[in-house]
Each structure stands twice: as C-alpha cells, then as structure tokens.
Amino acid sequence: MLDQKNGVFPAVCPLDCPDTCGLLLHKENGKIVKVTGNPEHPITQGAICNKVRNMTERIYHEERVLYPLKRTGPKGSGEFKRISWDEAVSEIAGRYRELINEYGPESILPYSFYGNMGILSVDGMDRRFFNALGASRLDQAICNAAGNAGWKYTMGFKGGTSPEDTEHADLIIVWGGNLISTSMHQVVIAEKARKRGAKVVVIDVHKNRTAQWADWFVPLYPGTDTALALGMMHVLFRDGWTDEAFLKRHTIGHEELREHVKSYTPEHVSAITGVPAEDIEKLGRMYGEASVSFIAIGNGLQHHDNGGMNVRSVACLPALTGQWLKKGGGAIKTNGGYHAMNSDYLERPDLRPNPEARSINMNRIGEALHMKEQPIKAVFVYCSNPLVVAPDTERVQAGFAREDLFTVVHDLFLTDTAKYADIVLPAASSFETTELYASYWHHYVQLQEPVIEKLGEAKGNVELFAMLGRAMGLDAGTFAETEEELIAGALDYPENPYLNGVTLESLKEKRFVKLDMTPQASYLDRLTTPSGKIELYSEAMKKAGLPPLPEYIPLQEGYDGTKRPGPSESYPLMFISPPNHNFLNSTFANSEKHQRLEKEPLLQIHPQDAAQRGIQDGDDVVVYNNRGRLELKAQVTDKMLPGTVVSQGLWWNGKGGKRRVNALTPDRLADMGGGATFFSTVVQVKR
Ligand SMILES: Nc1nc2c(c(=O)[nH]1)N[C@H]1C(S)=C(S)[C@@H](COP(=O)(O)OP(=O)(O)OC[C@H]3O[C@@H](n4cnc5c(=O)[nH]c(N)nc54)[C@H](O)[C@@H]3O)O[C@H]1N2
Ligand SMILES: Nc1nc2c(c(=O)[nH]1)N[C@H]1C(S)=C(S)[C@@H](COP(=O)(O)OP(=O)(O)OC[C@H]3O[C@@H](n4cnc5c(=O)[nH]c(N)nc54)[C@H](O)[C@@H]3O)O[C@H]1N2
Ligand code: SF4
Ligand SMILES: [Mo]
C-alpha cells in the first residue's frame, strides 16, 4: 500500500470508541485525501462519524509535531527547539540511568491511555519497556474502572450481549450514555429494533442527543441511579414480573433482594431521584412487560462516588426477568473480555526486576506528582493528555510544572500536556503503522497496515519503545520483534476460546475476523463469579467492605432529592462534564474544523437557576468551586432538572480563556476499582 501513490486502502479507526469502524483511505499522489467507511465491515457497514470523516484535517494539520523537540523556555510556555532523534534518545536514556541510580526505577512513571487503541502500541511494546525498566506501574482507572468492577461483582465475565442480537429487543434502555455521539452503530441497530416496534428509553441527567432521539427521556439527579434501579426492582417483585425459574437456577441472593427492595417504594425512590413515582411505576412495568429488553450501560452513571454500585445495581435488572436466556436480551457494559489476548507475551511482566513495584492511580496524578516520599522524578506521557482529561487540572498542572520533574511526551501535537515536557517526541498516526485492533463492543478483530509513509521524523509507539529498550541496554531480543511477530504472539492464546481462528494469516486474508462466538451459546455456564451464578447478593463485595446487596449511597459532594441544596451552601449546583459530539475526549479539540462544528464551549443551565443568578442566554459566565474556575457562555435550557448544570467537551485551554472542565472536578476515587468521579462535583455560577 505504501508504494502505491493512488488508490483506496482499508484501515481501522484507531480512536477510543466502541465501534472500531472499518475505514477506507482514499489516496492521491501519496496523500490521503478522503476517509470513508468500509462497506464490507459486517457491523459498521460503511457508516462513520463526522469526526473521522474529517480525519485528514488532523493527519496533515500544520501544527503536527514532526521532529523531536527540546524545551527552551519555562515549562508550559511552549518554547522548544528542534533536536535529532539521537540527541533525544541519548538524553532520555542518560536521565533515566541517573534517576535509576539515585532514586531507583520506580521514580519513573509511564502515563498513558487509549489515544490509539492499537494493542501493540498501548498494551504491547510500551509495557515491555516499562516492565524491563522496573518503572512504577500506572493503574489505568480513568475511564470505566468503577463500572467494570461493579459489573464484575454481579456478572463475573467482562462481556454482555452481542450487539448484532440487540435488534431483537423490544425495549432498549440507554442508561447514562450518549450513544448518538459515542456509539453510533448501536443506534443504527436500535433503529432496526424500533422499526419492529421496540421502544427506546434514555435515563440520564441531561437531555443529550440520544435522549432527544428516544421515545422517552427519564431525567434524574446525578448519582441516584442505584435508587432508581431499586425502585424498578421493587415494582418487578411486587407485581410478579420476575422470572422465578431463572432466579432460582442462575442467581444467588434473590430472596434477600426481594426483601431488601420492599423499602424502595416508588414514593421513596422519587424523593431521592427526582423521577415522579408514576414514572417509576411505568418504567418498572415496561421492563417487566418487555419480552426482550436490552440495557446499554453508559459511562456517565459510573463517573461518581457511588459509580461502581450504580452499574452493579443496573446489571442486576436483566437477571430479574431472565433476559440472559433471550437473543438480544441482557446488557452491555463492555464486551472487552471476549477478545482477551496473550498479555504475558505482549507485555512481558516477567522482565520486571521488581515484581512488587508500586502502582499509581492515574486519577490521582496531581497528588502523585506532589509526593514527598519516594517522589516521582520522571513521567513519560503517551496516548493521553492529562492536563485536559485528568481530574483537578490545577493540581495536575502544578505537578507537571515542577522544575525537577523530567517529562517526556510522545504525541502528534503540542497538547496542553506536551507544553510542560522537557522532550517532545513526534508520534506517527495510526495510518502510518502496522497495528492490531479489537473492539470493546462488537466481535470483529482487524489489522492495520501502513497506508502512508510516516510524516517528518515521526515514529509509532512500537518503534519508539523498541528503540528506547535497546538504548537502555535492556534484553535485546524482546525489543527486536517485528509488529507481525507481536500480532501472531498476541493471538496465540488458547486460554481464550473466543480467539479460535483469529490469526495473523486470517486477518491478512479477510481483514475482519469474527471472534468464535460458539462458547457464547453457554453464556450462563461461563459466568466467572465466585458462585458461578449471577450475584444479586455478593459475598465478595461484603468482604471488600461494600454493601452486598444493591444499596443507594449518596454522593459526597452534591445532593439528591431528599437533601437539597446539598452539603455546600456555597456551591449549590451539580456540575456534569461529559464528552461532546465532535471531539474524541480531547482529541480533535485543536482542529479548527472540529472546533467550528462545536462552535464554543457552553454551560447549559436551567431557566430557574439562571433567573436566580440574573443570567440570560448567551451571557458570559464563570463557573467555579474551591478547585478552579471555567469561563464559558451560558445556554439557558431545561435539558436538565434544576440544580444540575452541564458543559460538554474536553476543550484545551483557549487563547487566554479558561476552558478546561476538569479544573472543577475532584480526584477522589469511586467506591470500586479506583474509578474516577468526574461528575460528583458541585459548583457556583455567576455572570
Ligand atoms: N463523540 C465522542 N465519542 C466518544 C467519546 C467522545 O469524547 N466523543 N469518548 C469515548 C469514550 S473514551 C468513552 S468512555 C465513551 C463514553 O460514552 P458513553 O458511555 O455514551 O458516555 P458519555 O458520552 O460519557 O455520556 C455520559 C452520559 O452520562 C450522563 N450522566 C452523568 N451523570 C449521570 C448519572 O449520575 N446518571 C445517569 N443516568 N447519567 C449520568 C451524562 O449526562 C451523559 O449524557 O465514548 C467514546 N466515544
Ligand atoms: N471531565 C471529564 N473528564 C474526562 C471524561 C469526561 O467524560 N469528563 N472522560 C474520561 C474518559 S472516559 C477517558 S477514556 C479519558 C480519555 O483521556 P485520554 O486518553 O487522554 O484521551 P485524549 O484526550 O483523546 O488524548 C489522547 C492523546 O493521544 C494522542 N495519540 C493518538 N495516537 C497516538 C499514538 O499512536 N501515539 C501517541 N504517543 N499518542 C497518540 C492524541 O494526539 C491525544 O493527544 O478522559 C477522561 N476525562
Ligand atoms: S470514532 Fe467511532 S464512530 Fe467514528 S469512525 Fe471511529 S470507530 Fe467509527
Ligand atoms: Mo473512556
């Protein structure tokens, strides 16, 4: 493909989006001029989002970093000079050697997430490098850690319903997610179900795009989802909608749960959630009456102090009506478990000189950079932009501003984070590399082969970390393997029967290779909870100091319907900051095209809350709490219940403006999995 200057070539969307679309790259004179969907992809079928249709803006953006850079001005100033790769590598290797001698290898911390979902890039050669070095580990809990932990206590295995089956559902509930923006092909499938008469319900704190498309939007107060789920269970048990045979055979704790939910009457739940009692009755009845119901569990309800419990509680619902025996019934939190690969081979934990090395939760990066004992002396950031995406930005920024911290950032752009680096390394785009992709929603695995030459002196993650491994004199064989060898090794994993038949050869031949879903026939027999059943009562949760049954626990900051205006009189509004439609987390936030599509960052505020503050639509407002402040334009709208304000999108700091929503968010950890609590925060707003 590289040697052909013109033509249409297959590719994979590398972004952190469940859909993992098949793409086609249209090449003219050696340059990609257009990105379209690959109609041959069995699930995504040629439809792609607008963000990625405009991907060429990003690939060929004039601000792409094309050469290694060394800082010349103060941290944060963005002043750099060009250096050679040799200079960059010898500086990094030299500094790392010094730090290891003086402070030990754990003084070095990798900080990465899934800016590129390529398995070799973010769960492969990079891990080998930091393992062999003996660096501190990073607990990558920023995205869905709390929810996944809650799901796991209930269901065990990290997988749910197969997406293509969900067209058979006659009730689809989108719970705390915004699928129109974040998983458009699930919407396409839901539309098919809808044509056959299915109803779509959205349960959210904000009338997002998905709620506007749904048949019924149920707004609630942030962090009260467990109470709502318990209210539905109350109705299901009370009115005999439950599948008793299923409960007996496939669950434990149904008798305890039946007793437990008696106190969660619609009136009581209404007082907590703000959902009218008759709507709770209606929701319970709809769920009970549906013959096949499917719940798409989003990320929103788990970015809270009680986020693990929220997902755990919602995950109990399908068992109550026996959905796991029905095609298309059940729920998806993530389907990432189906494609588990040979991580011991990919990441080589055996190379680690210090198996007991500490782990730092990435949600606490601000705090970690201020540690006095065993201080972190170097951070290597790749595939993430912590100065925009991590909670409590001011603290994170103060950490990265430390003069004695040696920071390397590998990225395609001078992000807000890269501006604090001592060395910036140019990253190749995924279309310039060989990579392996799997989806955390559908069941197809795909291969990316380079379509264009690397721009400037950019390098992909695999090449970079292999080079650094060799420069540090680490086990040479490990850092000499090619991408194809890595792919073959990753897929060589008989422990995961779903990987049957997925090989480098089949990927080259067919491009889209489906996981072998035959073990799915016995989904319920493969449950990996301690009891082997769906755990409505969880002894493991009890041991972990959590309530063993679903139980509503109020947020630390914030209010529910029973105790408003909440613990802090100074900050009476709940602040919710979910992603927007045209960015992918903070990716694309620097592309003029994508900015134009979003226009500008807004604060959505209820007419009642606006009137109390003399705020009119279009006014400039300041949103603040004791962590920081944001400067935005107000949009007066009743898309939320009074008391909740919303700002969508992870914007970088504008020219002079304060636009980073995480300036206001807490770095407290959620109840489970060390998850983030972005949405459990209170603010005040003024003109
Ligand atoms: N266009 C676009 N697509 C994306 C992304 C993006 O940035 N842009 N990001 C990608 C990533 S990394 C992820 S993890 C997924 C996330 O995608 P989704 O799982 O769809 O989640 P979000 O878009 O984060 O939407 C969270 C929703 O939860 C709501 N919410 C907040 N608090 C609560 C609550 O207490 N209860 C309930 N019920 N709802 C609440 C918010 O109002 C918001 O509508 O999307 C991926 N896809
Ligand atoms: N307030 C608030 N904060 C949030 C969220 C929210 O909803 N609200 N969502 C959270 C969630 S769910 C997530 S997943 C995180 C996401 O946070 P991040 O994972 O940090 O996501 P991005 O902001 O997209 O940053 C990815 C970076 O990787 C770079 N990159 C892309 N490809 C490559 C590559 O091949 N190599 C290298 N070295 N770099 C590459 C991109 O240019 C980009 O700068 O944000 C979290 N933060
Ligand atoms: S961001 Fe999601 S919907 Fe858009 S092209 Fe990529 S995988 Fe498809
Ligand atoms: Mo995420």
Side-chain angles (χ1 to χ4, degrees), residues 112-139:
S112 70
F113 207 63
Y114 293 89
N116 173 353
M117 293 287 297
I119 290 161
L120 315 184
S121 287
V122 283
D123 291 321
M125 199 55 98
D126 57 320
R127 304 291 176 113
R128 287 186 176 189
F129 175 68
F130 293 109
N131 275 333
L133 210 58
S136 283
R137 278 184 262 246
L138 186 74
D139 182 4

Side-chain angles (χ1 to χ4, degrees), residues 398-420:
F400 276 99
R402 254 176 53 199
E403 271 312 316
D404 66 322
L405 182 74
F406 178 62
T407 302
V408 179
V409 175
H410 181 230
D411 204 298
L412 289 83
F413 290 98
L414 264 191
T415 59
D416 282 2
T417 309
K419 289 196 175 128
Y420 282 80

Side-chain angles (χ1 to χ4, degrees), residues 5-276:
K5 287 215 164 304
N6 298 292
V8 180
F9 303 97
V12 189
C13 178
L15 298 176
D16 187 353
C17 167
D19 297 26
T20 317
C21 290
L23 305 178
L24 291 176
L25 305 181
H26 302 248
K27 224 170 130 179
E28 281 174 19
N29 295 320
K31 231 181 131 173
I32 301 167
V33 292
K34 195 160 84 170
V35 180
T36 58
N38 189 338
E40 284 170 23
H41 189 288
I43 301 286
T44 63
Q45 298 186 345
I48 60 167
C49 67
N50 203 27
K51 311 183 280 296
V52 170
R53 244 181 286 131
N54 288 301
M55 188 66 129
T56 50
E57 301 279 325
R58 178 172 159 82
I59 305 289
Y60 298 109
H61 197 283
E62 60 179 18
E63 286 168 9
R64 232 186 105 170
V65 176
L66 296 177
Y67 311 98
L69 302 172
K70 186 178 165 130
R71 182 167 65 85
T72 53
K75 292 201 174 191
S77 67
E79 291 160 33
F80 294 94
K81 68 168 188 196
R82 179 175 170 180
I83 55 172
S84 68
W85 266 107
D86 279 350
E87 223 179 319
V89 170
S90 75
E91 167 122 10
I92 295 167
R95 290 295 291 268
Y96 280 9
R97 279 199 196 95
E98 279 168 29
L99 289 174
I100 291 170
N101 283 336
E102 198 169 335
Y103 299 95
E106 288 175 59
S107 63
I108 302 168
L109 175 73
Y111 189 99
S112 70
F113 207 63
Y114 293 89
N116 173 353
M117 293 287 297
I119 290 161
L120 315 184
S121 287
V122 283
D123 291 321
M125 199 55 98
D126 57 320
R127 304 291 176 113
R128 287 186 176 189
F129 175 68
F130 293 109
N131 275 333
L133 210 58
S136 283
R137 278 184 262 246
L138 186 74
D139 182 4
Q140 293 178 298
I142 205 166
C143 178
N144 51 17
N148 280 353
W151 174 273
K152 198 161 170 237
Y153 277 126
T154 313
M155 301 297 293
F157 179 66
K158 254 178 65 180
T161 313
S162 289
E164 53 269 59
D165 290 345
T166 64
E167 72 171 272
H168 301 292
D170 56 8
L171 175 65
I172 294 176
I173 301 182
V174 183
W175 200 314
N178 185 14
L179 299 184
I180 290 219
S181 300
T182 61
S183 185
M184 58 178 275
H185 297 90
Q186 181 64 69
V187 173
V188 173
I189 298 172
E191 266 302 318
K192 280 193 200 159
R194 219 180 186 186
K195 289 224 168 68
R196 302 181 179 175
K199 289 278 175 277
V200 178
V201 178
V202 169
I203 299 173
D204 205 287
V205 304
H206 177 227
K207 194 168 186 184
N208 59 27
R209 285 183 190 234
T210 313
Q212 291 166 49
W213 154 83
D215 297 293
W216 187 27
F217 169 50
V218 181
L220 79 172
Y221 292 130
T224 63
D225 302 82
T226 289
L228 184 59
L230 286 163
M232 289 170 70
M233 294 182 206
H234 175 98
V235 175
L236 292 168
F237 277 117
R238 184 197 66 196
D239 294 351
W241 295 112
T242 46
D243 181 336
E244 295 301 315
F246 185 94
L247 286 173
K248 285 205 186 80
R249 172 121 197 257
H250 297 294
T251 74
I252 59 165
H254 55 98
E255 291 307 336
E256 289 91 333
L257 185 64
R258 190 188 308 266
E259 269 313 298
H260 176 65
V261 301
K262 281 190 177 149
S263 63
Y264 285 89
T265 61
E267 294 67 31
H268 175 45
V269 169
S270 173
I272 298 169
T273 58
V275 181

